[in-house]
Amino acid sequence: MGHILSLLGNMLFGLVGLILAGIVMIEGVLAAMMDTIGVHGQAQRAVLTIVLIALIIAAFRVFGRMFGLLAALFLMLVLLQALFGDPADGGRTHDHHAEASSAAWRI
């Protein structure tokens, strides 16, 4: 169960990282293009802000269902593990002290 949770969490964070990398790449290309045509300063910042907002909205529209599905699966597995899974210590109680003391008495 822990491996599945790790996998889904990594997929969710990987998807976010991939989207952010794409947005940063597009922003960098646009900034370089505007520099070459002579758009600088506040005008460039305003255009890049509008493009950034549009890219964020587009990413949520395109990947929103995938985000929702991965988040729902992740949270459902966390709930199932909390309800039916092993506790954090594995649910195993080891009494090493009793074994060690009985071994000491046998010597």
Side-chain angles (χ1 to χ4, degrees), residues 11 19 74 84 96:
M11 286 176 64
I19 290 170
F74 182 77
F84 303 114
H96 293 294

Side-chain angles (χ1 to χ4, degrees), residues 18-19 22 26 30 33 44 49 54 66 76 78 85 99:
L18 183 66
I19 290 170
I26 292 170
L30 284 176
M33 286 174 49
Q44 184 180 19
T49 302
M66 191 177 300
M76 187 170 26
V78 167
E99 292 173 9

